[in-house]
Amino acid sequence: QTKTTTTTSTRTTSTTTITTTTTLALATATFVLQNIVYTSVQEIPQVAQGMKDALNKLFAEAAGVPLDYVSVAFSPGSLKVDARIFVPATLPVSTVVAKMSGNTTLEVMTVNVIRSVPLINTVTSGPVSLADTGIYFREQDPSMAFTTLGVVAATTAAATASTTRLATSQAAAVTTKATAVAADTTTPEA
């Protein structure tokens, strides 16, 4: 008796590229944190990064945008903070500006998150506070050309951010062929 089995497998992998383009609006604010020494902040990178991370997180959560849509930069003047929030078209920028501007709770939280940054006392000359001007966001024309800490480079009048995500899907098409041949050869006895 002879039995033959043949099995063939085929696996197909495909790659799909999805491109999403989102038009962004921009809300900006400049405010001053008092009693923080700018030159000291620059000399201790972990303090500078800790402050940026804390403010980015706070502003992203308050605005209701992804963390990578927020950036802050520091400059001299006690510590001058320039904050930018890129607002997706799905969220009215006027809503973000209204929610974030003159919000005393946000102002208190801003001072508190800065006070909680590790080693913050090494860069202060007194108690950290917010200047009397407060924090006021305003809508900004996003068509101005600038690069904000690698978040978005606005180079066109429409200021669009393109996000390309490479999605790899594996479609496994497995075909199995089985062929069985059975031969029953009987030889009569003599």
Side-chain angles (χ1 to χ4, degrees), residues 17 27 31 39 53 61 72 77 108 122 128 135 152 155:
T17 301
F31 58 94
T39 54
D53 291 347
E61 288 174 358
V72 296
V108 168
T122 62
V128 176
I135 300 174
V152 173
T155 57

Side-chain angles (χ1 to χ4, degrees), residues 3 18 20 35 42-43 45 54 66 80 105 111 147 149 156-157 175 178:
K3 185 175 181 181
I18 301 169
T20 306
N35 297 320
Q42 295 304 104
E43 293 169 0
K80 183 177 162 189
T105 301
V111 171
T147 302
L149 303 177
T156 65
T175 305

Side-chain angles (χ1 to χ4, degrees), residues 99-175:
K99 185 176 6 178
M100 304 283 290
S101 294
N103 179 335
T104 55
T105 301
L106 180 65
E107 292 173 355
V108 168
M109 290 172 65
T110 298
V111 171
N112 287 340
V113 298
I114 293 300
R115 287 179 181 162
S116 69
V117 170
L119 301 173
I120 192 68
N121 291 335
T122 62
V123 299
T124 60
S125 61
V128 176
S129 62
L130 189 63
D132 292 337
T133 55
I135 300 174
Y136 288 91
F137 279 85
R138 65 187 179 285
E139 188 171 350
Q140 183 82 31
D141 180 2
S143 66
M144 59 187 234
F146 62 87
T147 302
T148 306
L149 303 177
V151 176
V152 173
T155 57
T156 65
T160 59
S162 293
T163 305
T164 302
R165 284 178 262 146
L166 183 63
T168 304
S169 64
Q170 300 202 358
V174 178
T175 305

Side-chain angles (χ1 to χ4, degrees), residues 26-58:
L26 179 63
T28 62
T30 299
F31 58 94
V32 175
L33 290 169
Q34 296 178 325
N35 297 320
I36 297 179
V37 181
Y38 173 76
T39 54
S40 296
V41 170
Q42 295 304 104
E43 293 169 0
I44 307 174
Q46 64 266 33
V47 174
Q49 192 60 53
M51 292 170 61
K52 288 177 181 180
D53 291 347
L55 291 173
N56 285 341
K57 183 178 181 202
L58 175 65

Side-chain angles (χ1 to χ4, degrees), residues 173-190:
V174 178
T175 305
T176 305
K177 290 183 180 180
T179 307
V181 177
D184 188 355
T185 309
T186 306
T187 308
E189 293 183 17

